[in-house]
Amino acid sequence: MKSAGSWSTGGAIFQTTIDSEVIAYIIARERMHSGSIEEAVRRTMPQIQGAYSLLVMSPQKLIAARESQWVPAPVYGAGLGKGYVFASETCALDACGAEFVRDVEPGEIVVVDPSGVKSIRDHCTGRISPCIFEYIYFARTDSVIDGVSVYEARKEAGRLLARQHPVEADLVIGVPESGIDAAIGYSEESGIPYEKGIVKNNYIGRTFIKPTQQERRNSVRIKLNPLVTAVKGKRIVMLDDSIVRGNHLRPYCEHAAGGGG
C-alpha cells in the first residue's frame, strides 16, 4: 500500500480496517473509467476475492449486487408507493410493508433508477453454495433465504440430530433464540417433550466477543438464566446454535445434576 499516491497510481489512504471501505475505493476508482456507476460496480466485482453482497447508492440510482454463490442474496421488494427496497433478509421487507419480489441471483447486479429496474447478469453463474451458518445462527427465524424458510431449516436440523443421535431423556430445551427452533424439531422427531428451560435477558448483547473468559462467564450468567424448577434433576437434551467456548453448557448441566457440577 502506498502512503499517499493518486487515483492513477492506485494509492489510497484508508481510515478504517473494514472491507467495505476497500470495496468503496475500488468502485470509486473504476467510476473514473466507466460510463455509469453500475458499470463501475460490474468492473469491481471480479476484483473482490471472498463472499459479499453490496448495496450502492448514487444520487439517481440504487444498486444491489451479489457475489457469485457463497452469501445470502440481497432480497428485492416493492410496494412502498412506487418505490423499491433491498435488504439482507426478507423479514426487513415485512417490517416496512414491502412485498417480496425475488432474490438477487448469484453474480447479478440489479439497478433501480427513474426509468425503472434493470438487471446486469454478466457475472451470473447459476451456482448457489450458501453459508450454512446463516440458517443455523445469523439469520432471523422469520426470514427466507434462497427460497428456504430459516425456521423450517432449523427445525429440520433438530430432526436430523434426533435421528442420527437418539438418546433417552426427560425433556428437550433450546438456548435462546435460534437454538429453540432446532430443539422443537428434535422434540417432534424424538417424542421427548420440549420445554422452556432458559430465560434470556434481551438487554445483553453477544458474549463470546468479550476480551476475557471471566467477563464472558459473567455476561452469560446475566444474559441467560435457567428455569431451575423445569430442569433440576432431569435428563436434558439441550440444543445450542453454536458452541464457541462452551460457556453456556456448564451452568445448565450443574442445575440438571441438582447443583453438584
Side-chain angles (χ1 to χ4, degrees):
M1 177 68 66
K2 296 181 177 68
S3 59
S6 64
W7 294 105
S8 60
T9 60
I13 298 175
F14 294 108
Q15 305 300 317
T16 72
T17 59
I18 61 175
D19 51 10
S20 299
E21 186 182 10
V22 179
I23 295 172
Y25 164 75
I26 300 173
I27 293 173
R29 184 184 64 190
E30 292 297 337
R31 182 65 180 91
M32 297 186 68
H33 309 289
S34 306
S36 64
I37 182 63
E38 58 265 35
E39 173 62 16
V41 173
R42 189 189 70 80
R43 294 173 59 162
T44 294
M45 290 176 69
Q47 301 180 50
I48 305 172
Q49 296 183 9
Y52 61 88
S53 59
L54 305 175
L55 186 64
V56 180
M57 291 182 287
S58 74
Q60 295 294 323
K61 297 175 181 178
L62 179 64
I63 300 169
R66 180 186 185 182
E67 180 268 338
S68 58
Q69 59 179 318
W70 302 109
V71 297
V75 291
Y76 163 35
L80 300 177
K82 295 182 179 180
Y84 298 93
V85 179
F86 293 97
S88 59
E89 295 188 44
T90 56
C91 62
L93 303 182
D94 300 333
C96 66
E99 180 181 353
F100 173 76
V101 176
R102 65 177 179 87
D103 295 314
V104 176
E105 297 181 16
E108 184 184 15
I109 301 170
V110 178
V111 183
V112 178
D113 62 21
S115 65
V117 182
K118 67 178 181 180
S119 171
I120 301 172
R121 306 175 61 84
D122 295 6
H123 302 311
C124 287
T125 63
R127 299 190 303 271
I128 299 178
S129 302
C131 172
I132 190 63
F133 215 45
E134 292 286 345
Y135 290 103
I136 295 171
Y137 177 70
F138 284 130
R140 239 173 64 165
T141 298
D142 51 342
S143 284
V144 177
I145 300 175
D146 288 318
V148 178
S149 162
V150 173
Y151 175 63
E152 292 300 332
R154 288 175 181 167
K155 284 212 303 181
E156 182 60 22
R159 296 188 191 105
L160 286 170
L161 183 63
R163 291 197 290 268
Q164 294 171 4
H165 299 282
V167 296
E168 292 186 5
D170 299 311
L171 59 90
V172 180
I173 67 173
V175 176
E177 293 290 335
S178 46
I180 292 174
D181 305 331
I184 293 172
Y186 192 103
S187 173
E188 290 176 351
E189 183 69 24
S190 66
I192 301 171
Y194 167 80
E195 191 166 332
K196 184 174 182 177
I198 300 172
V199 176
K200 180 182 178 183
N201 183 337
N202 292 321
Y203 299 99
I204 303 296
R206 300 188 187 278
T207 56
F208 71 90
I209 58 176
K210 296 288 185 180
T212 69
Q213 177 66 3
Q214 188 59 50
E215 288 180 274
R216 290 189 287 269
R217 286 179 175 172
N218 291 342
S219 295
V220 166
R221 290 187 179 278
I222 297 173
K223 180 180 180 179
L224 301 173
N225 196 41
L227 284 171
V228 179
T229 55
V231 303
K232 185 175 181 180
K234 295 181 180 178
R235 299 171 299 171
I236 294 172
V237 176
M238 185 174 76
L239 281 82
D240 199 351
D241 49 28
S242 57
I243 302 174
V244 179
R245 293 185 173 91
N247 290 326
H248 292 163
L249 298 177
R250 184 176 179 82
Y252 310 112
C253 291
E254 291 175 351
H255 282 288

